[in-house]
Amino acid sequence: MKIMRSMTGFGRSVQNNEKYNLVWEIRSVNSRFLDIKWKLPPLLRSFEARFEKVVRSYATRGRVEVCLTLQEINQNDSVSFDIKQAQAMLFALEALAKERNEDFAVDYNQLLKIPSLWQGNEEEVSEEFVLFVQNCLEIALQDWNKSREEEAKQLRKDLESRFNLMQSWLQRIIDRAPQVKELRFQSVKERLQEVLQNLESALDENRFLQEIVILSDKLDITEECTRLESHLKRLIELMDIGEDVGRKLDFTLQECFREINTCGNKIQDAVLSTVVVDYKNELEKCREQVQNLE
């Protein structure tokens, strides 16, 4: 059984070896598909595709931001400045300013913002180091999944309470439906008798019974209530299964809406109309909640 998870979560992993302090951070929100955004240091950007395979083994939906911060423990002589490149850039800018008859003043602080001028004295990345980074990523992903599972537990409690509430409302509809039928039958009979009395005619019982059968069929919501009850049970089952639960719950809630809407159209009763409206509102709230589930 797959564990139900929210698409909203946060995970973090802080590790180090003899050369680097390493921090992975993962943040996610809901999204229709899996959309991964990366922030990697230049040293490891070429391994993005490899790391993405790891992330995809932990998630199927959501907008996920994955950030790696890498800091050298001993930073002495860890970077160098490309003086020749900087001089060439300054000479070119000075020549451009001279050609345009404009003043040119060097702002050395701007050179700090040009990544290409700064180079780390880094050795070639070894497979051992990449595995270390990847293992750290998995630890962060496990932490991220725990937070998503905890979020899903809270969502499940909320959804279950709403499903139980809707089940109680459904029972009210089922209990009230026969009374509504009787009231409508009696109303039709009284109206017919009133019309026939004015016309000085007698009520044809056979004709009346035929009309009642037609009306009974129009007012019958047995099938809708049965399907609605089945959908409510299915909602609980889906949360236990957990696989692709967000989409499946959303689809089943749409089916619930279809059935309760038909019930409301068939039985136009003042008492049940309020129940039907509340039922629809609750379904919308449930749909908003399941949008966060993976």
Side-chain angles (χ1 to χ4, degrees), residues 25-79:
E25 289 187 340
I26 304 170
R27 294 177 174 82
S28 63
V29 293
N30 62 324
S31 178
R32 190 175 179 184
F33 305 104
L34 181 58
D35 179 20
I36 305 174
K37 304 295 183 183
W38 291 90
K39 292 183 181 178
L40 296 175
L43 179 66
L44 292 164
R45 280 177 189 162
S46 61
F47 296 95
E48 180 181 312
R50 175 171 172 174
F51 296 150
E52 181 152 335
K53 288 182 180 179
V54 178
V55 175
R56 287 184 177 275
S57 68
Y58 282 80
T60 56
R61 294 174 66 201
R63 187 179 187 279
V64 187
E65 293 184 0
V66 187
C67 177
L68 172 62
T69 302
L70 199 62
Q71 183 180 25
E72 285 195 62
I73 295 173
N74 183 5
Q75 295 186 348
N76 295 331
D77 301 324
S78 61
V79 294

Side-chain angles (χ1 to χ4, degrees), residues 19 36 47 59 61 66 97 164 182 219 236 239 247 292:
K19 189 174 182 180
I36 305 174
F47 296 95
R61 294 174 66 201
V66 187
N164 290 332
E182 290 300 323
L219 294 175
I236 298 294
M239 291 194 295
R247 288 192 179 97
N292 294 312

Side-chain angles (χ1 to χ4, degrees), residues 76-283:
N76 295 331
D77 301 324
S78 61
V79 294
S80 62
F81 183 68
D82 191 339
I83 297 176
K84 290 183 178 181
Q85 179 68 15
Q87 286 177 337
M89 292 169 69
L90 291 173
F91 288 149
L93 289 171
E94 187 176 11
L96 176 63
K98 186 176 180 180
E99 184 179 339
R100 294 168 59 89
N101 294 319
E102 295 175 349
D103 294 332
F104 175 72
V106 179
D107 184 355
Y108 290 101
N109 287 326
Q110 294 300 318
L111 297 178
L112 295 172
K113 302 177 183 180
I114 305 176
S116 61
L117 296 178
W118 300 91
Q119 298 177 349
N121 297 327
E122 298 153 347
E123 299 177 0
E124 185 178 347
V125 179
S126 66
E127 176 63 20
E128 181 182 1
F129 179 65
V130 176
L131 283 174
F132 166 70
V133 175
Q134 185 173 313
N135 289 336
C136 296
L137 172 59
E138 296 219 35
I139 294 172
L141 287 166
Q142 291 165 9
D143 184 53
W144 175 57
N145 268 353
K146 285 180 182 178
S147 74
R148 298 198 298 140
E149 288 165 13
E150 188 59 36
E151 176 74 12
K153 286 180 183 179
Q154 300 304 317
L155 286 173
R156 174 168 184 149
K157 288 180 182 178
D158 181 73
L159 288 170
E160 284 181 339
S161 66
R162 295 180 188 278
F163 296 160
N164 290 332
L165 181 60
M166 288 189 289
Q167 180 62 51
S168 67
W169 287 341
L170 175 59
Q171 192 58 52
R172 286 180 61 184
I173 293 172
I174 293 172
D175 294 341
R176 174 71 177 171
Q179 300 175 43
V180 174
K181 274 189 179 182
E182 290 300 323
L183 290 172
R184 292 289 294 276
F185 294 164
Q186 187 61 34
S187 176
V188 169
K189 186 174 183 179
E190 290 174 356
R191 274 189 247 169
L192 281 173
Q193 286 178 332
E194 184 179 350
V195 170
L196 292 172
Q197 186 175 0
N198 293 333
L199 296 174
E200 297 181 352
S201 300
L203 177 63
D204 185 339
E205 287 294 331
N206 290 331
R207 177 64 178 172
F208 173 69
L209 289 175
Q210 288 177 2
E211 293 297 328
I212 289 298
V213 169
I214 295 172
L215 181 61
S216 177
D217 186 58
K218 290 181 179 179
L219 294 175
D220 186 39
I221 57 170
T222 303
E223 291 184 8
E224 287 80 3
C225 289
T226 299
R227 286 194 292 267
L228 194 49
E229 192 165 21
S230 176
H231 291 331
L232 289 173
K233 291 179 180 178
R234 178 61 176 165
L235 290 169
I236 298 294
E237 292 172 357
L238 286 172
M239 291 194 295
D240 289 332
I241 295 171
E243 186 171 357
D244 199 18
V245 65
R247 288 192 179 97
K248 292 177 180 177
L249 283 173
D250 187 50
F251 175 79
T252 306
L253 287 168
Q254 290 182 56
E255 293 301 305
C256 289
F257 191 90
R258 189 197 309 275
E259 301 301 341
I260 193 64
N261 194 54
T262 303
C263 288
N265 291 336
K266 281 189 172 183
I267 298 189
Q268 298 179 7
D269 174 65
V271 176
L272 291 185
S273 291
T274 302
V275 177
V276 170
V277 170
D278 290 341
Y279 209 112
K280 290 179 181 180
N281 287 334
E282 204 64 26
L283 284 171

